[in-house]
């Protein structure tokens, strides 16, 4: 495996082993009393992680969570919302101190983003979990997003719409707009762990391994953070 400065790679055999490895990090941070707030991601990649989490008997009732993103115009009751995903996979089964989510139905979206960013600043993030899009997006920071961005209203690219619409249920139309933590907000987390499994994620990891930070591949900004671990099953 190639190497880049700052970023640690953890090679696993498959997604199952990768989710065990990530949960081990979460457990260690909790046991060392270094986990008071955690940033959470959605997507298929995260489902086995949340399974481990739910099945553990660890106590997270002093931990505050922040989700990365949410679709605009989708109600929290819809199975297509990230709020619903989080309740189904984690929040309804495990107790936390507080669980913050972006409200994609807010009347004033800019105001909603400011509210969320203020909360983030107040709490800080001890650990941020990330997946990655096929085009290298993190949260909903699509190619071209400013590296200084904070929580904002994000336009989704055709590539993301085509990938993510496959997960949309009940004939609901996928919105082309979302609310998302910015790249700047994510980079403020003390520690970042990104999971990437399967060939569809290879291009994004290879870009990162080239070692150049470019806005065309938002994932590459992680090269400027000093505590990033990438857990992957890909031979790179
Ligand atoms: C969405 C989310 C991202 C996530 C990505 C990958 O676009 N906004 O935060 O990383 O999906 O999803 P999956 O894990 O299903 O590949």
């Amino acid at each position: 495996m190639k190497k880049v400065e700052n970023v640690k790679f953890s090679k696993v055999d498959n997604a199952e082993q990768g989710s065990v490895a990530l949960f081990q990090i979460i457990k260690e941070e909790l046991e060392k009393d270094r986990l008071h707030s955690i940033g959470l991601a959605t997507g298929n990649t995260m489902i086995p992680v949340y399974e481990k989490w739910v099945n553990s008997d660890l106590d997270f009732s002093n931990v505050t969570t922040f989700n990365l993103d949410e679709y605009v115009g989708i109600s929290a009751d819809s199975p297509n919302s990230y709020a619903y995903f989080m309740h189904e996979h984690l929040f309804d089964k495990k107790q936390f101190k507080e669980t913050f989510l972006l409200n994609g139905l807010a009347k004033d979206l800019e105001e909603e983003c400011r509210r969320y960013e203020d909360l983030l600043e107040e709490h800080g993030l001890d650990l941020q979990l990330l997946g990655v899009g096929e085009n290298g997006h993190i949260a909903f920071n699509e190619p071209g997003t400013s590296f200084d961005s904070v929580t904002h209203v994000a336009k989704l690219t055709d590539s993301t719409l085509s990938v993510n619409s496959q997960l949309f249920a009940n004939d609901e139309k996928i919105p082309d707009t979302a609310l998302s933590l910015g790249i700047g907000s994510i980079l403020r987390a003390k520690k970042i762990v990104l999971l990437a499994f399967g060939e569809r994620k290879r291009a994004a990891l290879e870009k990162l391994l080239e070692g150049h930070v470019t806005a065309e591949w938002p994932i590459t900004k992680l090269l400027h953070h000093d505590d990033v671990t990438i857990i992957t099953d890909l031979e790179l």
Side-chain angles (χ1 to χ4, degrees), residues 41-46 68-69 71 82 130-134 137-140 160 163-164 167 195 200-201:
T42 50
N44 285 334
T45 308
M46 300 309 298
L68 280 172
D69 44 17
Y71 290 107
Y82 286 165
L130 289 179
V132 61
E134 291 179 32
H137 72 236
I138 47 174
F140 271 132
T160 297
V163 174
N164 288 17
L167 307 171
L195 294 187
R200 294 184 303 115
K201 308 296 170 81

Side-chain angles (χ1 to χ4, degrees), residues 193-206:
V193 183
L194 182 146
L195 294 187
F197 303 123
E199 286 300 323
R200 294 184 303 115
K201 308 296 170 81
R202 180 178 289 281
L205 294 196
E206 284 185 344

Side-chain angles (χ1 to χ4, degrees), residues 8 17 58 69 73 81 98 104 110 122 139 141 143 177 180 188-191 228-229 236:
K8 289 188 278 283
Q17 214 184 75
L58 295 173
D69 44 17
S81 74
E98 272 181 296
E110 301 291 342
E122 189 188 309
N141 293 286
T177 313
S180 176
R188 287 201 313 263
K190 286 187 196 146
K191 184 178 184 70
V228 177
T229 301
L236 293 158

